Amino acid sequence: MLSTRHLLGIKDLTLEDIELIMKTAQEFKDVLNRPIKKVPSLRDVTIANVFFENSTRTRLSFELAEKRLSADTINFSASGSSVKKGETLLDTVNNILAMKVDMIVMRHASPGAPHFLSKHIKANIVNAGDGTHEHPTQALLDSFSMREKLGDLAGKKIAIIGDILHSRVALSNIFALQKQGAEITLCGPTTLIPRHITELGVKVSHNVKETLKWCDVANVLRIQLERQQIKYFPSLREYSLYFGISKQMLDELDKEIVLMHPGPINRGVELTSDAADSHHSIILDQVENGVAVRMAVLYLLAAQN
């Protein structure tokens, strides 16, 4: 059983929680590869997907996970809702809960929004991304995908490359990988690396080629232009020149490394198309594993009620 009622961030999970989620996700992955992909585990459980920010993969992945578990789902999108008329977050969610919803999957632009809600409502909350803070299910599916390729992550060398400053995926991955005993190096332009990030026990590099030589896994993040209020580098072309990864760079390494990306990819910026589609890449495996991992999270949280 999980040690927490909500999945607000990886920071709150124990190593035992992570291991339990991984084990359960593996069982659900086996289910997803059967001809009949549905199980009745969450029949009579109602889950609301409450998204205040745009999402494709995460939202579809959660919806599919819920349907595979036979849960009843309702979808809420802020763009066409009363939020535009001035309704507060708490009022919006309480109105949804009044319809007898058991669990909320929520994405919000403000860091800490799911934590705030968890103090005021009874339903379980799954954080599907809160601003630039955390994105726990992405980190869990990344760990699951790495473990499929590398086995135990203790002592493995993981590089996270790109826009660390604006990335919720980076922070959740740091917490998840450290709990599993991995070594982490962050790589990107000085302007996109948070100032005191080394206090979390990670190394920092500004040289992509050196970082690729060092690592077993390169988890590449996109440049989040929509979160950048000022210019952090001269141009996308220059960023691509210094920090972009091509298939040629991967082929020149004297070892095989695993290439990951949480999506959406800006092809030609952080990754060239031939790198993203190469045999090094497990990007589509991550998407497939996302459904199994989210099924595991929903199932384990619902089991506590």
Side-chain angles (χ1 to χ4, degrees), residues 162-166 188-195 206 228 230-234 239:
D163 184 354
I164 312 294
L165 184 65
H166 300 95
T190 311
T191 50
L192 291 177
I193 304 274
R195 191 173 293 170
H206 303 296
Q228 297 181 8
I230 58 170
K231 261 188 146 9
Y232 287 86
F233 46 85
Y239 178 88

Side-chain angles (χ1 to χ4, degrees), residues 29-43:
K29 186 165 183 183
D30 297 340
V31 168
L32 292 174
N33 287 317
R34 298 197 308 227
I36 297 171
K37 300 174 175 61
K38 210 163 182 176
V39 286
S41 310
L42 294 194
R43 195 183 284 155

Side-chain angles (χ1 to χ4, degrees), residues 49 51 53-66 105 107 128 135 137-138 141-142 168-169 220 222 224 226 261-267 270 282-292 294:
N49 299 311
F51 279 68
E53 269 193 321
N54 296 339
S55 170
T56 305
R57 262 160 311 280
T58 304
R59 186 170 185 159
L60 287 176
S61 188
F62 267 113
E63 281 185 39
L64 199 52
E66 290 151 11
V105 174
R107 170 169 288 189
H135 190 351
T137 56
Q138 181 68 48
L141 75 89
D142 286 349
R168 50 187 167 217
V169 175
V220 186
R222 77 185 169 89
Q224 303 204 17
E226 75 278 10
H261 194 302
I265 306 171
N266 294 147
R267 287 174 182 260
E270 67 267 15
I282 59 165
I283 295 169
L284 290 177
D285 296 348
Q286 288 172 264
V287 178
E288 181 189 345
N289 292 335
V291 179
R294 290 178 174 116

Side-chain angles (χ1 to χ4, degrees), residues 35-103:
I36 297 171
K37 300 174 175 61
K38 210 163 182 176
V39 286
S41 310
L42 294 194
R43 195 183 284 155
D44 301 329
V45 173
T46 306
I47 302 174
N49 299 311
V50 182
F51 279 68
F52 292 88
E53 269 193 321
N54 296 339
S55 170
T56 305
R57 262 160 311 280
T58 304
R59 186 170 185 159
L60 287 176
S61 188
F62 267 113
E63 281 185 39
L64 199 52
E66 290 151 11
K67 287 184 166 73
R68 296 282 188 245
L69 290 165
S70 306
D72 296 319
T73 62
I74 53 171
N75 293 308
F76 168 91
S77 169
S79 55
S81 73
S82 295
V83 172
K84 293 285 179 217
K85 302 174 189 172
E87 188 172 57
T88 66
L89 169 64
L90 197 54
D91 281 342
T92 300
V93 173
N94 274 328
N95 274 284
I96 293 168
L97 291 178
M99 301 174 206
K100 301 290 180 272
V101 168
D102 305 295
M103 199 179 294

Side-chain angles (χ1 to χ4, degrees), residues 72-260:
D72 296 319
T73 62
I74 53 171
N75 293 308
F76 168 91
S77 169
S79 55
S81 73
S82 295
V83 172
K84 293 285 179 217
K85 302 174 189 172
E87 188 172 57
T88 66
L89 169 64
L90 197 54
D91 281 342
T92 300
V93 173
N94 274 328
N95 274 284
I96 293 168
L97 291 178
M99 301 174 206
K100 301 290 180 272
V101 168
D102 305 295
M103 199 179 294
I104 301 270
V105 174
M106 179 174 131
R107 170 169 288 189
H108 201 282
S110 302
H115 304 69
F116 164 75
L117 265 194
S118 69
K119 294 182 173 71
H120 292 87
I121 66 173
K122 287 197 173 76
N124 307 89
I125 297 172
V126 180
N127 179 4
D130 59 329
T132 55
H133 181 225
E134 278 220 51
H135 190 351
T137 56
Q138 181 68 48
L140 290 167
L141 75 89
D142 286 349
S143 287
F144 185 86
S145 303
M146 287 179 211
R147 286 164 77 137
E148 276 193 328
K149 277 293 212 187
L150 305 175
D152 187 9
L153 295 183
K156 296 292 190 292
K157 296 173 176 173
I158 317 296
I160 303 175
I161 301 169
D163 184 354
I164 312 294
L165 184 65
H166 300 95
S167 175
R168 50 187 167 217
V169 175
L171 194 57
S172 285
N173 259 300
I174 290 168
F175 292 143
L177 293 166
Q178 283 181 333
K179 284 178 198 236
Q180 295 168 82
E183 292 178 47
I184 303 160
T185 292
L186 306 178
C187 177
T190 311
T191 50
L192 291 177
I193 304 274
R195 191 173 293 170
H196 301 292
I197 195 82
T198 49
E199 289 175 19
L200 290 178
V202 298
K203 299 193 194 93
V204 168
S205 162
H206 303 296
N207 184 324
V208 161
K209 286 189 174 171
E210 290 300 315
T211 303
L212 290 175
K213 279 182 193 161
W214 171 84
C215 71
D216 300 309
V217 176
N219 197 351
V220 186
L221 308 175
R222 77 185 169 89
I223 298 298
Q224 303 204 17
L225 292 173
E226 75 278 10
R227 294 189 197 281
Q228 297 181 8
Q229 315 303 315
I230 58 170
K231 261 188 146 9
Y232 287 86
F233 46 85
S235 68
L236 285 177
R237 185 169 175 273
E238 186 156 329
Y239 178 88
S240 166
L241 212 60
Y242 285 95
F243 293 97
I245 295 171
S246 66
K247 185 170 186 291
Q248 185 183 348
M249 288 164 71
L250 298 172
D251 290 341
E252 284 169 0
L253 298 172
D254 54 8
K255 60 177 180 178
E256 282 284 314
I257 70 164
V258 176
L259 186 66
M260 301 174 70

Side-chain angles (χ1 to χ4, degrees), residues 14-32:
T14 63
L15 179 59
E16 290 71 32
D17 289 334
I18 292 173
E19 293 296 341
L20 178 59
I21 291 168
M22 297 292 145
K23 181 168 163 285
T24 312
Q26 185 55 59
E27 288 167 13
F28 281 129
K29 186 165 183 183
D30 297 340
V31 168
L32 292 174

